[in-house]
Amino acid sequence: MYALVDCNNFYASCERVFNPSLRNVPICILSNNDGCVISRSDEAKKLGIPMGVPAFQVDKLFKNHQVKIFSANFILYGDLSHRVMNIVKRYSSQVEIYSIDEAFLNLKGLKNINLEEHCLSMRNYIFKGVGIPVSIGIAPTQTLAKAANLIAKKYSVQTKSVYLMDTPEKIEKALKWLNIEDIWGIGRRLNKRFSTMGIRKAWDLVNMPDTFIRKEMGIIGIRMINELKGIPQLELSPPSKKKTIATTRTFDIMTEDLAPLKERVTTFAVKCSERLRKQQSCCNYITVFLHTNFFRGDHTQYHPSYTITLPNPHNSAIELSKYAQKALDVIYKKGYLYKKAGVIVSGLIPEQTRQISLFDEDNYMKHAPLMETIDKINKKLHCDKIKLASQDIKRTWKMKQNLLSQHYSTNINQIIRVKI
Amino acid sequence: MKSGSIHKNKTLEIFSFEITHKKQISFVDDGVKAGFPSPASDFPMQKIDLNEELVRDPETTFLARVNGDSMKDLRIFDGDLIIVDKALEPQNGNIAVCFIDGDFTLKRLKIVKEKGLIREIILLPENKEYKPIYVTPENDFIIWGILTYNIIKFI
């Protein structure tokens, strides 16, 4: 049996831990630079605030319903996620942390244990000890655990947020209830296609002939159907390394000039290089893109991108920023107001298996010790003390985070104040 | 090696194992000498880990700073750093961080029970100049965590 532990409205719940007066109040969390809504409490969902909507478009709703809005406080969310996951790991020796707020548990080893009771006590300890409400679905496969989790969440009063789906009758009932789009792994495109064919529930899909499934979804589809029938096809996998890494930002003021863009793109390339080194990868390609402001119909729009193939796979900040600037030079045009820029590195390979070009100079070995030292210093000082000269030294482009809550659980100067 | 309970009910408790650090064999740097050996070499070095001593469960432990003097008879003073465990079940007589009507406050809990049901919660100060707070259903109230240690700064 597998269990899926999922934190309810995770970011909003994190804000509530240290500010309990936010209970039962609509909350929205905004993305980097306070651009879009990235998390909503149930109360905010009920007001009809969609996921991902640009904040200014729902300004009126925010005001009319006194929605509490926050800038994303990833330091706080990261710490609380870590605490939750560490508790989850006490309840099974096989845990796959799937995202910041989700984890799969393999419960195979727990024989002669009441799994429902086991998961209820996990839920209660997490809620009591960290203050984060979670829902837990338990089922014979991961895909069904995902469905059981939806049931636990939707019917939280009846299930106490823990739902065990352990009999063929329960599975059948769940599949007849589960909408196609809520099956784990069904994308928007497939959902659209299936609903035009009248396939609306998971039960409909499970009863389609294998040939149909194979034709529409390939071998992945066959696996999905087996998972829905309760035959495990997936194994918990260790977290895989990222295949691409991107650093992109929306600016709070639009810019026309090359100089500030150059600085931004350099900084993004440096950030990408840091993340490459952290997972011990090198990249083969670097892409730079620019966006003008989509929401300004009165402006001429331009959103170019350019990809450069590196002569040698790399993760040095110096090297990546050099090519990022080259790519920027290719796409930059005067006369546009730029609102967003980004750097994406792809074609990632492990550091150890770099294949070096015979004809180009490779300075990887030269840069590697320097990068290691910079990483160490920056990590120790908890800030980017060491930068390239082409980066912003004065930090004029600080992220817009006007509504940031405190780092209650990680910074001794920002811990909660208790009146006595 | 650290052991943690992964499942507990009335009759059974199951533990999981996690190897947190390598077992090290202490090396006694005495050399091989003739003569009297160091008497200290029989006592392998141990260090005190304050985390281990003060923190029951690191995942449920939080720090807070107190302001005010309502707990001074308990030697909890303005500006002290307190260690709070959120997971502990509140018991009558515990010192607890409570959230009441928009503020966190630290008080001694008096939980009055009748036939196993909570009839009344009173927050007691430890300073005669303050009055007890009687929690009513009208209050927005939760017991947020239990005080486990207080750290007073002397210098």
Side-chain angles (χ1 to χ4, degrees):
Chain A
M1 295 291 268
Y2 292 88
L4 174 67
V5 179
D6 187 12
C7 302
N8 302 349
N9 316 318
F10 182 55
Y11 299 165
S13 296
C14 287
E15 297 290 346
R16 283 175 169 155
V17 172
F18 299 94
N19 193 350
S21 54
L22 296 171
R23 286 169 303 157
N24 310 318
V25 167
I27 303 177
C28 284
I29 314 295
L30 305 181
S31 60
N32 283 335
N33 275 323
D34 295 348
C36 304
V37 172
I38 54 166
S39 178
R40 304 155 298 157
S41 69
D42 285 333
E43 298 80 6
K45 284 178 190 168
K46 277 188 196 127
L47 291 176
I49 298 168
M51 185 66 173
V53 67
F56 71 88
Q57 286 185 3
V58 282
D59 230 15
K60 270 220 177 93
L61 268 175
F62 284 167
K63 286 212 180 80
N64 292 346
H65 298 276
Q66 293 174 0
V67 180
K68 299 282 180 194
I69 39 180
F70 292 93
S71 307
N73 185 347
F74 286 117
I75 292 176
L76 175 68
Y77 309 155
D79 179 61
L80 293 183
S81 166
H82 202 69
R83 288 169 185 256
V84 169
M85 297 307 173
N86 281 344
I87 294 173
V88 167
K89 284 179 193 162
R90 297 175 193 168
Y91 288 81
S92 164
S93 53
Q94 267 197 72
V95 174
E96 180 186 340
I97 296 171
Y98 190 68
S99 66
I100 191 166
D101 57 355
E102 275 177 294
F104 280 107
L105 283 74
N106 188 341
L107 303 174
K108 185 168 64 182
L110 303 176
K111 295 236 161 61
N112 305 321
I113 281 187
N114 182 331
L115 293 180
E116 207 170 352
E117 201 184 288
H118 185 68
C119 289
L120 260 172
S121 75
M122 166 168 37
R123 192 210 174 260
N124 292 341
Y125 194 75
I126 293 169
F127 186 56
K128 186 85 196 13
V130 191
I132 299 292
V134 304
S135 305
I136 305 177
I138 315 154
T141 67
Q142 281 175 264
T143 308
L144 285 176
K146 201 86 178 168
N149 192 288
L150 280 180
I151 296 169
K153 196 168 285 170
K154 184 126 190 182
Y155 304 101
S156 57
V157 182
Q158 296 93 316
T159 60
K160 292 185 194 144
S161 296
V162 175
Y163 185 63
L164 172 70
M165 200 154 83
D166 56 348
T167 63
E169 294 76 32
K170 282 185 182 174
I171 293 173
E172 185 177 327
K173 198 177 164 197
L175 294 180
K176 284 176 175 165
W177 169 85
L178 185 67
N179 291 323
I180 285 279
E181 73 252 37
D182 294 329
I183 301 174
W184 190 36
I186 293 269
R188 213 175 298 167
R189 194 187 57 83
L190 273 177
N191 173 39
K192 228 173 155 182
R193 178 157 174 75
F194 285 146
S195 44
T196 56
M197 296 179 199
I199 304 169
R200 299 224 158 74
K201 299 284 178 188
W203 184 248
D204 303 334
L205 196 63
V206 166
N207 286 305
M208 295 307 281
D210 270 6
T211 46
F212 171 85
I213 300 291
R214 194 176 282 276
K215 188 177 138 261
E216 292 293 328
M217 302 164 73
I219 185 70
I220 308 268
I222 300 288
R223 283 204 202 114
M224 181 187 289
I225 298 299
N226 278 332
E227 281 261 319
L228 287 172
K229 286 176 178 165
I231 310 157
Q233 308 284 301
L234 306 164
E235 265 308 310
L236 295 191
S237 55
S240 61
K241 288 179 179 175
K242 288 204 159 67
K243 301 262 166 35
T244 62
I245 290 174
T247 309
T248 71
R249 291 280 182 280
T250 306
F251 312 139
D252 44 336
I253 39 169
M254 290 182 273
T255 182
E256 196 184 341
D257 301 331
L258 181 61
L261 287 175
K262 221 170 200 160
E263 186 282 320
R264 282 293 77 195
V265 164
T266 307
T267 299
F268 298 162
V270 170
K271 273 273 161 283
C272 287
S273 80
E274 270 171 27
R275 289 166 66 189
L276 281 172
R277 294 196 295 276
K278 202 170 169 196
Q279 65 166 44
Q280 295 171 326
S281 300
C282 286
C283 69
N284 275 303
Y285 314 105
I286 182 163
T287 306
V288 175
F289 72 80
L290 293 172
H291 278 328
T292 48
N293 192 347
F294 290 118
F295 295 106
R296 292 294 297 266
D298 51 332
H299 291 177
T300 31
Q301 300 292 324
Y302 176 53
H303 28 93
S305 79
Y306 190 76
T307 301
I308 290 181
T309 307
L310 302 180
N312 290 303
H314 239 292
N315 60 14
S316 144
I318 300 167
E319 203 72 4
L320 292 189
S321 61
K322 190 171 87 191
Y323 287 103
Q325 291 193 21
K326 275 188 183 171
L328 176 68
D329 284 334
V330 174
I331 55 175
Y332 172 77
K333 273 191 201 160
K334 243 183 136 150
Y336 294 99
L337 284 169
Y338 296 101
K339 179 71 179 163
K340 187 179 183 174
V343 172
I344 304 162
V345 292
S346 52
L348 306 195
I349 51 136
E351 271 176 344
Q352 299 86 352
T353 59
R354 297 175 72 243
Q355 285 205 359
I356 306 160
S357 152
L358 278 176
F359 308 106
D360 293 290
E361 190 196 3
D362 182 43
N363 43 25
Y364 179 78
M365 296 314 281
K366 210 168 83 192
H367 288 181
L370 174 64
M371 290 303 137
E372 199 188 321
T373 312
I374 292 177
D375 288 343
K376 265 190 196 153
I377 294 172
N378 284 343
K379 195 180 169 198
K380 198 168 170 189
L381 299 175
H382 296 292
C383 63
D384 301 333
K385 215 49 191 184
I386 301 204
K387 292 178 177 176
L388 299 186
S390 44
Q391 278 181 270
D392 177 25
I393 307 294
K394 294 190 297 283
R395 308 192 90 225
T396 44
W397 286 79
K398 267 219 296 251
M399 237 201 280
K400 193 170 136 197
Q401 291 186 317
N402 292 332
L403 309 158
L404 191 67
S405 53
Q406 284 163 244
H407 301 146
Y408 297 103
S409 58
T410 50
N411 184 334
I412 191 108
N413 297 316
Q414 299 185 7
I415 57 181
I416 56 165
R417 297 273 161 174
V418 177
K419 283 188 192 162
I420 56 173
Chain B
M1 214 131 70
K2 197 174 83 180
S3 65
S5 171
I6 66 164
H7 181 81
K8 199 176 172 183
N9 61 24
K10 278 172 219 105
T11 52
L12 179 75
E13 186 166 8
I14 293 164
F15 294 89
S16 75
F17 280 89
E18 187 192 353
I19 296 167
T20 51
H21 44 79
K22 287 177 221 148
K23 188 158 177 75
Q24 290 178 338
I25 298 165
S26 32
F27 170 65
V28 183
D29 191 12
D30 253 3
V32 182
K33 287 188 221 100
F36 191 71
S38 161
S41 65
D42 286 344
F43 303 94
M45 191 177 64
Q46 277 187 354
K47 282 189 176 175
I48 296 164
D49 180 355
L50 273 183
N51 289 317
E52 197 104 317
E53 293 300 320
L54 303 183
V55 177
R56 187 193 63 88
D57 184 339
E59 315 312 340
T60 64
T61 298
F62 296 89
L63 294 176
R65 185 81 69 186
V66 296
N67 295 112
D69 60 354
S70 74
M71 299 297 278
K72 76 176 172 57
D73 293 352
L74 255 189
R75 303 176 55 73
I76 301 172
F77 302 116
D78 190 70
D80 282 358
L81 188 65
I82 55 173
I83 303 179
V84 182
D85 192 333
K86 260 181 81 56
L88 294 175
E89 217 39 70
Q91 308 286 337
N92 188 34
N94 281 162
I95 316 296
V97 171
C98 300
F99 181 82
I100 182 161
D101 299 335
D103 277 318
F104 285 111
T105 185
L106 185 77
K107 293 286 180 289
R108 189 186 286 282
L109 291 177
K110 188 174 174 187
I111 303 173
V112 186
K113 281 190 180 173
E114 217 167 63
K115 291 173 193 159
L117 291 171
I118 296 173
R119 197 172 62 86
E120 195 172 29
I121 295 177
I122 307 160
L123 307 182
L124 301 173
E126 294 280 338
N127 179 345
K128 285 183 189 67
E129 288 168 31
Y130 287 80
K131 286 195 183 100
I133 301 166
Y134 291 83
V135 181
T136 66
E138 283 74 52
N139 291 118
D140 182 17
F141 176 78
I142 55 170
I143 298 171
W144 192 83
I146 304 298
L147 174 73
T148 53
Y149 285 89
N150 178 35
I151 300 166
I152 306 174
K153 192 168 190 258
F154 288 100
I155 47 166

mmCIF file of all heavy atoms in Angstrom, chain B residues 23-40:
data_model
loop_
_atom_site.group_PDB
_atom_site.id
_atom_site.type_symbol
_atom_site.label_atom_id
_atom_site.label_comp_id
_atom_site.label_asym_id
_atom_site.label_seq_id
_atom_site.Cartn_x
_atom_site.Cartn_y
_atom_site.Cartn_z
ATOM 1 N N LYS B 23 29.607 5.478 13.274
ATOM 2 C CA LYS B 23 30.146 5.092 14.572
ATOM 3 C C LYS B 23 31.652 5.253 14.499
ATOM 4 O O LYS B 23 32.305 4.777 13.578
ATOM 5 C CB LYS B 23 29.790 3.642 14.860
ATOM 6 C CG LYS B 23 30.142 3.240 16.266
ATOM 7 C CD LYS B 23 29.337 2.043 16.696
ATOM 8 C CE LYS B 23 29.750 1.587 18.085
ATOM 9 N NZ LYS B 23 29.240 2.481 19.117
ATOM 10 N N GLN B 24 32.158 5.990 15.453
ATOM 11 C CA GLN B 24 33.596 6.230 15.413
ATOM 12 C C GLN B 24 34.276 5.520 16.559
ATOM 13 O O GLN B 24 33.762 5.447 17.662
ATOM 14 C CB GLN B 24 33.864 7.740 15.499
ATOM 15 C CG GLN B 24 33.432 8.434 14.221
ATOM 16 C CD GLN B 24 33.647 9.923 14.302
ATOM 17 O OE1 GLN B 24 33.719 10.488 15.379
ATOM 18 N NE2 GLN B 24 33.754 10.547 13.145
ATOM 19 N N ILE B 25 35.420 4.990 16.239
ATOM 20 C CA ILE B 25 36.197 4.348 17.286
ATOM 21 C C ILE B 25 37.202 5.369 17.771
ATOM 22 O O ILE B 25 37.960 5.935 16.988
ATOM 23 C CB ILE B 25 36.906 3.097 16.729
ATOM 24 C CG1 ILE B 25 35.840 2.108 16.241
ATOM 25 C CG2 ILE B 25 37.813 2.475 17.765
ATOM 26 C CD1 ILE B 25 36.374 1.021 15.360
ATOM 27 N N SER B 26 37.178 5.639 19.070
ATOM 28 C CA SER B 26 38.068 6.692 19.529
ATOM 29 C C SER B 26 39.509 6.225 19.504
ATOM 30 O O SER B 26 39.833 5.071 19.813
ATOM 31 C CB SER B 26 37.657 7.191 20.899
ATOM 32 O OG SER B 26 37.104 6.141 21.632
ATOM 33 N N PHE B 27 40.336 7.113 19.120
ATOM 34 C CA PHE B 27 41.749 6.836 19.007
ATOM 35 C C PHE B 27 42.448 7.519 20.163
ATOM 36 O O PHE B 27 42.322 8.728 20.363
ATOM 37 C CB PHE B 27 42.242 7.388 17.659
ATOM 38 C CG PHE B 27 43.730 7.369 17.511
ATOM 39 C CD1 PHE B 27 44.419 6.162 17.477
ATOM 40 C CD2 PHE B 27 44.444 8.560 17.403
ATOM 41 C CE1 PHE B 27 45.793 6.148 17.332
ATOM 42 C CE2 PHE B 27 45.810 8.538 17.260
ATOM 43 C CZ PHE B 27 46.491 7.334 17.212
ATOM 44 N N VAL B 28 43.082 6.768 20.952
ATOM 45 C CA VAL B 28 43.751 7.348 22.111
ATOM 46 C C VAL B 28 45.198 7.638 21.724
ATOM 47 O O VAL B 28 45.986 6.736 21.468
ATOM 48 C CB VAL B 28 43.676 6.404 23.318
ATOM 49 C CG1 VAL B 28 44.299 7.055 24.539
ATOM 50 C CG2 VAL B 28 42.223 6.047 23.592
ATOM 51 N N ASP B 29 45.501 8.901 21.641
ATOM 52 C CA ASP B 29 46.788 9.301 21.102
ATOM 53 C C ASP B 29 47.854 9.271 22.197
ATOM 54 O O ASP B 29 48.344 10.297 22.642
ATOM 55 C CB ASP B 29 46.660 10.704 20.498
ATOM 56 C CG ASP B 29 47.907 11.042 19.692
ATOM 57 O OD1 ASP B 29 48.711 10.138 19.435
ATOM 58 O OD2 ASP B 29 48.060 12.220 19.331
ATOM 59 N N ASP B 30 48.160 8.098 22.600
ATOM 60 C CA ASP B 30 49.127 7.958 23.679
ATOM 61 C C ASP B 30 50.507 7.572 23.173
ATOM 62 O O ASP B 30 51.490 7.726 23.851
ATOM 63 C CB ASP B 30 48.646 6.864 24.647
ATOM 64 C CG ASP B 30 48.155 7.482 25.937
ATOM 65 O OD1 ASP B 30 48.143 8.726 26.013
ATOM 66 O OD2 ASP B 30 47.777 6.712 26.841
ATOM 67 N N GLY B 31 50.468 7.085 21.948
ATOM 68 C CA GLY B 31 51.718 6.518 21.451
ATOM 69 C C GLY B 31 52.025 5.255 22.238
ATOM 70 O O GLY B 31 51.250 4.837 23.100
ATOM 71 N N VAL B 32 53.063 4.645 21.908
ATOM 72 C CA VAL B 32 53.463 3.511 22.718
ATOM 73 C C VAL B 32 54.711 3.936 23.482
ATOM 74 O O VAL B 32 55.753 4.181 22.918
ATOM 75 C CB VAL B 32 53.755 2.284 21.830
ATOM 76 C CG1 VAL B 32 54.126 1.089 22.685
ATOM 77 C CG2 VAL B 32 52.530 1.979 20.973
ATOM 78 N N LYS B 33 54.509 4.111 24.736
ATOM 79 C CA LYS B 33 55.623 4.610 25.537
ATOM 80 C C LYS B 33 55.840 3.677 26.716
ATOM 81 O O LYS B 33 54.924 3.016 27.189
ATOM 82 C CB LYS B 33 55.298 5.998 26.096
ATOM 83 C CG LYS B 33 55.339 7.096 25.051
ATOM 84 C CD LYS B 33 55.197 8.451 25.746
ATOM 85 C CE LYS B 33 54.299 9.382 24.966
ATOM 86 N NZ LYS B 33 52.949 9.498 25.450
ATOM 87 N N ALA B 34 57.003 3.713 27.140
ATOM 88 C CA ALA B 34 57.264 3.046 28.401
ATOM 89 C C ALA B 34 56.861 4.009 29.502
ATOM 90 O O ALA B 34 56.752 5.199 29.291
ATOM 91 C CB ALA B 34 58.732 2.694 28.507
ATOM 92 N N GLY B 35 56.548 3.525 30.630
ATOM 93 C CA GLY B 35 56.242 4.416 31.745
ATOM 94 C C GLY B 35 54.762 4.438 32.035
ATOM 95 O O GLY B 35 53.979 3.662 31.498
ATOM 96 N N PHE B 36 54.352 5.374 32.863
ATOM 97 C CA PHE B 36 52.981 5.431 33.369
ATOM 98 C C PHE B 36 52.038 5.982 32.295
ATOM 99 O O PHE B 36 52.256 7.079 31.788
ATOM 100 C CB PHE B 36 52.954 6.310 34.624
ATOM 101 C CG PHE B 36 51.656 6.213 35.352
ATOM 102 C CD1 PHE B 36 51.330 5.029 36.035
ATOM 103 C CD2 PHE B 36 50.753 7.268 35.362
ATOM 104 C CE1 PHE B 36 50.137 4.937 36.715
ATOM 105 C CE2 PHE B 36 49.565 7.169 36.044
ATOM 106 C CZ PHE B 36 49.252 5.995 36.733
ATOM 107 N N PRO B 37 50.953 5.260 31.900
ATOM 108 C CA PRO B 37 50.039 5.798 30.880
ATOM 109 C C PRO B 37 49.170 6.908 31.454
ATOM 110 O O PRO B 37 48.983 6.990 32.667
ATOM 111 C CB PRO B 37 49.192 4.573 30.512
ATOM 112 C CG PRO B 37 49.254 3.686 31.705
ATOM 113 C CD PRO B 37 50.540 3.963 32.426
ATOM 114 N N SER B 38 48.654 7.754 30.556
ATOM 115 C CA SER B 38 47.797 8.853 31.012
ATOM 116 C C SER B 38 46.527 8.291 31.619
ATOM 117 O O SER B 38 45.821 7.503 30.981
ATOM 118 C CB SER B 38 47.444 9.763 29.840
ATOM 119 O OG SER B 38 46.306 10.524 30.192
ATOM 120 N N PRO B 39 46.179 8.704 32.840
ATOM 121 C CA PRO B 39 44.945 8.196 33.441
ATOM 122 C C PRO B 39 43.694 8.688 32.702
ATOM 123 O O PRO B 39 42.634 8.094 32.797
ATOM 124 C CB PRO B 39 44.972 8.748 34.862
ATOM 125 C CG PRO B 39 46.107 9.686 34.943
ATOM 126 C CD PRO B 39 46.898 9.643 33.689
ATOM 127 N N ALA B 40 43.828 9.774 31.922
ATOM 128 C CA ALA B 40 42.675 10.313 31.216
ATOM 129 C C ALA B 40 42.293 9.475 30.005
ATOM 130 O O ALA B 40 41.173 9.553 29.513
ATOM 131 C CB ALA B 40 42.962 11.744 30.766
#
